[in-house]
Amino acid sequence: MIRTIAAAVALCLVGSISTAAPSFAQTTMEHVPDRPTGEGEGPYETLLIRGATMIDGTGAPPEGPVDIIIRGNRIAGIVRGGGSTIAADHVVEADGMYVMPGFVDTHGHNGDPGKAPQPSYGYKLWLAHGVTSVRGVPFYFLPDARGVSDAARSAANTITAPRLFPYAVFGTGDFTPTDAGARAWVREAKARGFVGVKFFNFAPPELVRAGLDEAEKIGMGTVAHLGQRGVAGMNAAQAAKSGLQSITHFYGHFESLLRDGTVPQYPPDYNYLDEQSRFSWAARITDQAVEPGSDAWNEYVDLLLAENVTLAPTFNIYSASRDVMKARNADWHDRYTLPSLMRFFEPSLVNHGSYYHDWTSEDEIAWRRFYQRWFALTRDFKDRGGRVTAGSDPGYIYQTWGFSYISELEMLREAGLSPLEVIQAATQSGAAELYDASGEAPPFGVIRPGMLADLVIVPENPLANLKVLYGTGHRRLNRETDRIDTVGGVRWTVKDGIVYDAPALLEDVARMVELQEATP
């Protein structure tokens, strides 16, 4: 048995040129506390959400007012036009507000002991931004079994957290590098309670193919990070042909679209282990790729469609690359980003993702140009019927939980999805991606009778302005008073019929930040 793949995963996540170990204030993640009394109300025998405008997640236009009747943890009925006279145990007065299905984050992590040691920090930030389901890829890196435990506790509503869908990282732990060993590892992951597998392509291609095949046979989801270290053996086109269900990030796409050759041409001084070198160069690969709309480009999009691949682009996680000053000074950092997390974000030879060691105007311009190609590929895929979902990959590169998810929605809009398509990506499409492998119909993701009561209620119209979903709200000038008002922010998040006060969750997070600031 070997652990070389596990070592490679650790190297990918640390990603530095230093041989020194990170300096962490803590060495282990903390236990998630039980949900305290009064944090979240319900589920109720009958809950009524009254008077909202509904955006149902299917791509259908808004309609309202509607009354939504919830019994226990299921939507029991929708009264169009409002005016329901049903006797309810609890009423959410949502007149003038907007209700959507709970959001699905298809790329989540919990963090590391040194930057965000209490997982409820991220869980509460997700819920405070309307995220009711998260795919962990993985939630905990090594050991990763706590993600399974947290998922069970969340399903029982004994912790304050979204629904959790834990994925295991292929090859971690004891692993025999053979076809039979790869298949056995996947079966063991399912037996341990994982619902899917996250692949990195630095494992030998034949083992990745065996793992993908076995996962499909036993109904496990698959997603891959197709990074530079393994792209010569398996790019995105090859992974799609091998049965991969979902591609996250941008890795592997443009290596499948090279004008010349089969591998990228790296600069002579390129060093993968130097993250400044790695990420500075990553944006420049499009200089070697075919043009959007060319035959080769269209053939690649056709391949992804034919293989039924889902794209979870995670645009937001690299957004600092095009304006690091903006990312560093985001509105929410002072009140909601832990000091330990801000320290982790600072340029570092050790911390993965803190790669802007000497980030120049030329680097930012290269990334802005790169995003246009990445947007174009995603847009073409979407326009021809491909499924795109919303994933945030929080905890790196100035991306704080919850806030980074809303940033991803804004960037999906920038990529060319319409506002309704953005909401669909965040709800119905995300739920479908989570359940495809199992063959089950998603029990959430749209608002209709019989579905689980996972909802997000906001005072402002997100189709007009996605910024109203940020926990810090949206600032605008009141033209009658000539004063600046802050509007928006999620008001209530309903998960499994339990009504969470989103501003109260944010206040709890703010207290975590204040406590850490006051602790020497």
Side-chain angles (χ1 to χ4, degrees):
M1 294 184 290
I2 63 168
R3 295 177 180 269
T4 54
I5 296 179
V9 170
L11 178 59
C12 178
L13 296 173
V14 173
S16 73
I17 60 174
S18 172
T19 58
S23 177
F24 288 145
Q26 290 186 228
T27 58
T28 60
M29 295 291 286
E30 297 171 5
H31 179 71
V32 181
D34 288 341
R35 180 164 67 97
T37 301
E39 188 165 82
E41 299 178 349
Y44 297 94
E45 183 175 338
T46 303
L47 168 66
L48 178 65
I49 298 172
R50 183 156 55 199
T53 296
M54 179 175 69
I55 304 168
D56 72 4
T58 67
E63 50 183 318
V66 303
D67 294 346
I68 300 175
I69 301 166
I70 297 168
R71 298 192 188 279
N73 69 342
R74 297 271 176 179
I75 298 170
I78 299 171
V79 180
R80 286 168 169 82
S84 172
T85 58
I86 192 170
D89 301 292
H90 185 76
V91 178
V92 172
E93 297 290 356
D95 182 53
M97 298 188 181
Y98 292 78
V99 60
M100 296 167 285
F103 297 143
V104 179
D105 191 332
T106 57
H107 194 125
H109 303 293
N110 265 336
D112 304 322
K115 63 183 179 184
Q118 176 48 252
S120 63
Y121 169 76
Y123 291 160
K124 290 186 178 185
L125 280 171
W126 265 316
L127 282 174
H129 286 88
V131 176
T132 55
S133 295
V134 180
R135 177 172 66 178
V137 287
F139 285 116
Y140 299 87
F141 287 109
L142 294 174
D144 56 7
R146 284 185 56 186
V148 175
S149 172
D150 284 3
R153 296 176 69 200
S154 175
N157 293 309
T158 58
I159 60 174
T160 302
R163 299 180 189 277
L164 304 176
F165 294 79
Y167 275 43
V169 175
F170 181 67
T172 51
D174 291 334
F175 181 81
T176 302
T178 63
D179 184 286
R183 294 175 185 276
W185 186 96
V186 171
R187 292 194 300 271
E188 176 63 19
K190 184 170 185 178
R192 291 168 59 205
F194 292 96
V195 299
V197 181
K198 165 81 168 288
F199 290 85
F200 288 90
N201 59 338
F202 43 65
E206 63 274 14
L207 298 185
V208 173
R209 293 188 184 98
L212 288 169
D213 182 64
E214 193 66 25
E216 182 177 7
K217 287 179 178 177
I218 63 176
M220 295 185 79
T222 58
V223 62
H225 173 136
L226 301 168
Q228 294 100 320
R229 288 182 60 231
V231 78
M234 180 171 284
N235 60 30
Q238 293 161 334
K241 292 175 184 177
S242 300
L244 178 66
Q245 297 165 14
S246 178
I247 299 171
T248 192
H249 306 316
F250 58 85
Y251 306 108
H253 287 310
F254 296 102
E255 291 88 345
S256 303
L257 290 166
L258 296 173
R259 285 192 309 270
D260 302 303
T262 58
V263 297
Q265 299 176 35
Y266 298 98
D269 60 348
Y270 178 86
N271 181 359
Y272 177 85
L273 295 185
D274 180 341
E275 289 205 346
Q276 166 85 29
S277 175
R278 185 199 315 180
F279 286 98
S280 175
W281 178 86
R284 292 160 167 92
I285 190 174
T286 53
D287 295 340
Q288 302 177 38
V290 300
E291 291 295 316
S294 64
D295 289 345
W297 177 281
N298 291 331
E299 288 169 4
Y300 176 64
V301 173
D302 287 342
L303 170 66
L304 297 179
L305 295 168
E307 298 295 342
N308 200 30
V309 171
T310 296
L311 299 187
T314 67
F315 292 130
N316 78 95
I317 192 57
Y318 304 103
S319 60
S321 301
R322 61 181 188 172
D323 193 340
V324 71
M325 186 186 300
K326 175 184 176 183
R328 186 172 60 244
N329 292 286
D331 289 353
W332 47 84
H333 287 321
D334 283 349
R335 185 160 172 76
Y336 300 113
T337 300
L338 291 166
S340 56
L341 185 57
M342 282 302 290
R343 289 193 295 270
F344 183 92
F345 289 154
E346 285 297 300
S348 169
L349 295 178
V350 173
N351 297 336
H352 174 52
S354 300
Y355 52 76
Y356 21 86
H357 306 162
D358 183 18
W359 207 248
T360 67
S361 299
E362 292 304 305
D363 291 319
E364 293 189 351
I365 290 166
W367 270 90
R368 289 169 198 164
R369 290 172 176 163
F370 171 78
Y371 265 106
Q372 295 311 307
R373 292 293 183 92
W374 191 10
F375 288 158
L377 180 64
T378 306
R379 182 173 59 250
D380 286 355
F381 175 78
K382 180 271 300 181
D383 285 346
R384 289 156 70 174
R387 182 167 63 203
V388 177
T389 62
S392 66
D393 196 10
Y396 300 97
I397 322 177
Y398 292 114
Q399 298 302 306
T400 303
W401 281 260
F403 296 98
S404 60
Y405 186 80
I406 306 308
S407 175
E408 180 67 9
L409 302 189
E410 286 200 285
M411 294 188 75
L412 288 169
R413 178 74 183 98
E414 185 181 356
L417 279 69
S418 72
L420 279 173
E421 287 174 330
V422 170
I423 301 303
Q424 186 178 30
T427 56
Q428 183 183 50
S429 296
E433 182 178 3
L434 294 183
Y435 279 88
D436 264 2
S438 69
E440 301 175 20
F444 53 81
V446 299
I447 302 176
R448 66 169 59 120
M451 303 296 278
L452 289 170
D454 289 5
L455 304 167
V456 53
I457 303 167
V458 296
E460 298 278 325
N461 184 357
L463 299 180
N465 182 11
L466 290 164
K467 294 183 187 300
V468 301
L469 297 171
Y470 283 112
T472 44
H474 171 63
R475 286 161 51 91
R476 69 184 178 205
L477 181 68
N478 185 322
R479 297 177 67 87
E480 295 182 359
T481 65
D482 198 28
R483 294 179 181 272
I484 294 175
D485 295 335
T486 300
V487 300
V490 172
R491 181 61 189 89
W492 292 287
T493 298
V494 182
K495 177 244 177 174
D496 214 28
I498 297 173
V499 182
Y500 288 96
D501 184 321
L505 292 174
L506 286 172
E507 284 302 308
D508 199 29
V509 168
R511 284 191 290 272
M512 294 182 194
V513 173
E514 292 169 0
L515 179 61
Q516 195 182 91
E517 288 174 340
T519 302

